[in-house]
């Protein structure tokens, strides 16, 4: 049985036409049967990926990830410019799945308030290709900053903040799209102080699901999965920014591991984390969320050992 999880009907028909022969070739292989449940999706999107954690695009395809934004981290403007330059020189920045830069800073944490005009000048100096920027609400003029980000086509992400519920809510109401690394880049919620995570839940903002080793606990994963159904983004992080390797290497069983930890079914996981896919991109999963094959614009980028002819 083949289940197709494409929102666009035309894309679903195209996917079925291209991949169905591959699906049929799986039948009759050792350990497989024609009645096996298979799921076809556009591929997973990784919204916060540090390129130093992943060797090459093949690692991503093997995990079912077909599109990503690459993260650059810094706490000053000059450091961020250098960090962006380093990120853009990595192999992942020249792959078709690269969907832009994710700036983790520099207007984060403690420090003086920065005028929105200065943020605009900074984005001009970075140039085109910025998809999202993390900021701490207490560091910026929120409403003016949101106008600048909208003008630039950049998503605002709240993070590295000690803002209370009210302060974070102001940022989301002004147009911030998401919350960076909950439980890590913001103070933990309390039943009397819901903080940035509570504000994100009420405001309908997206939240990142940190899926690297030691990122968050299974209990925290389940909480996010239940509270932010359909609004989670995968994040893969080095653990520590200065050359850290805590999260080095993306596991091929990423999908199955996250789904199990978060208590999600196959359909729930794939529905929530697929998106921003390249046109003509199809990923085939088995019923255990193992990636069988990845095809992009007619080219097979990855075929698992068990799925090879």
């Amino acid at each position: 049985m083949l289940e197709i999880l494409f929102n666009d009907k035309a894309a679903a028909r195209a996917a079925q036409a291209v991949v169905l022969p591959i699906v049929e070739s799986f039948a009759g292989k050792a350990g497989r049967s024609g009645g096996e449940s298979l799921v076809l999706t556009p591929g997973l999107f990784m919204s916060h990926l540090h390129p130093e954690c992943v060797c090459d695009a093949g690692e991503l395809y093997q995990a079912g990830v077909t599109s990503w934004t690459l993260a650059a981290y810094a706490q000053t403007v000059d450091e961020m410019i250098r960090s962006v330059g380093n990120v853009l020189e990595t192999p992942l920045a020249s792959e078709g799945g690269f969907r832009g830069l994710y700036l983790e800073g520099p207007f984060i944490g403690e420090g003086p308030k920065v005028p929105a005009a200065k943020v605009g000048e900074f984005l001009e100096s970075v140039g085109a290709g910025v998809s999202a920027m993390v900021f701490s609400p207490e560091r910026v003029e929120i409403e003016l900053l949101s106008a600048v980000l909208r003008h630039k086509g950049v998503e605002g992400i709240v993070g590295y903040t000690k803002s209370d519920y009210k302060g974070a809510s102001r940022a989301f109401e002004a147009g911030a799209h998401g919350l960076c690394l909950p439980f890590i880049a913001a103070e933990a919620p309390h039943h009397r102080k819901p903080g940035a995570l509570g504000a994100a839940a009420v405001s309908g903002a997206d939240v990142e699901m940190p899926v690297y080793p030691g990122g968050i606990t299974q209990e925290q994963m389940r909480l996010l999965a239940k509270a932010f159904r359909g609004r989670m983004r995968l994040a893969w992080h080095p653990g520590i920014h200065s050359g850290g390797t805590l999260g080095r290497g993306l596991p091929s069983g990423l999908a199955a591991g996250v789904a199990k930890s978060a208590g999600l079914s196959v359909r729930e996981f794939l529905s929530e984390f697929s998106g921003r896919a390249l046109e003509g991109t199809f990923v085939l999963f088995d019923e255990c969320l193992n990636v069988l094959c990845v095809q992009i614009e007619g080219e097979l980028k990855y075929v698992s050992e068990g799925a090879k002819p």
Side-chain angles (χ1 to χ4, degrees):
M1 181 180 74
L2 176 65
E3 186 172 12
I4 302 176
L5 299 183
F6 279 78
N7 292 327
D8 182 84
K9 291 184 178 179
R13 286 195 295 271
Q16 185 173 16
V18 171
V19 180
L20 199 55
I22 300 173
V23 174
E24 291 172 346
S25 75
F26 293 154
K29 295 185 186 299
R32 300 189 178 279
S33 67
E36 183 177 9
S37 179
L38 303 173
V39 185
L40 188 65
T41 80
L44 306 180
F45 171 61
M46 184 78 74
S47 70
H48 178 169
L49 173 67
H50 286 266
E52 63 266 34
C53 302
V54 178
C55 294
D56 55 42
E59 241 185 297
L60 293 169
Y61 298 144
Q62 189 177 356
V65 176
T66 57
S67 54
W68 54 85
T69 52
L70 294 178
Y73 171 86
Q75 294 190 359
T76 70
V77 169
D78 289 341
E79 288 173 353
M80 181 59 82
I81 297 297
R82 287 194 293 271
S83 182
V84 165
N86 292 336
V87 166
L88 291 177
E89 290 178 358
T90 64
L92 289 179
S94 60
E95 288 284 336
F98 176 50
R99 315 309 275 172
L101 291 164
Y102 179 105
L103 305 183
E104 200 173 352
F107 311 109
I108 56 175
E110 298 179 356
K113 188 167 289 240
V114 180
K118 288 289 186 183
V119 180
E121 291 173 7
F122 159 71
L123 290 173
E124 286 288 342
S125 66
V126 173
V130 178
S131 175
M133 186 186 78
V134 180
F135 67 91
S136 302
E138 58 267 41
R139 289 288 310 277
V140 298
E141 302 167 320
I142 292 174
E143 285 77 14
L144 293 176
L145 173 65
S146 295
V148 168
L149 295 179
R150 282 196 298 272
H151 177 69
K152 300 289 186 182
V154 176
E155 290 186 350
I157 308 293
V158 172
Y160 294 88
T161 179
K162 292 185 178 180
S163 287
D164 58 11
Y165 175 85
K166 185 176 180 180
S169 292
R170 268 188 68 205
F172 293 126
E173 289 166 4
H177 288 258
L179 180 64
C180 171
L181 302 177
F183 303 111
I184 300 170
E187 291 195 336
H190 182 275
H191 70 286
R192 291 181 181 174
K193 297 179 180 179
L197 189 58
V202 172
S203 302
D206 294 339
V207 300
E208 293 177 358
M209 176 73 86
V211 297
Y212 48 90
I216 56 176
T217 66
Q218 289 190 2
E219 290 76 14
Q220 289 170 333
M221 272 194 174
R222 291 192 184 98
L223 187 154
L224 293 178
K226 289 181 179 179
F228 296 92
R229 182 70 71 207
R231 295 189 281 124
M232 294 182 292
R233 303 180 180 192
L234 291 171
W236 190 266
H237 206 271
I240 46 179
H241 286 289
S242 55
T245 56
L246 176 62
R248 181 80 190 184
L250 201 67
S252 59
L254 171 73
V258 176
K260 182 178 179 181
S261 296
L264 298 172
S265 68
V266 171
R267 169 180 275 279
E268 287 170 339
F269 177 86
L270 294 175
S271 295
E272 291 177 19
F273 289 107
S274 61
R276 293 201 188 188
L278 302 170
E279 186 175 352
T281 298
F282 319 119
V283 179
L284 188 65
F285 292 86
D286 67 14
E287 56 194 344
C288 296
L289 279 177
N290 299 307
V291 178
L292 298 180
C293 70
V294 175
Q295 182 160 315
I296 299 178
E297 296 180 345
E299 182 182 355
L300 276 173
K301 294 288 189 178
Y302 169 75
V303 181
S304 73
E305 287 299 322
K308 289 179 180 177

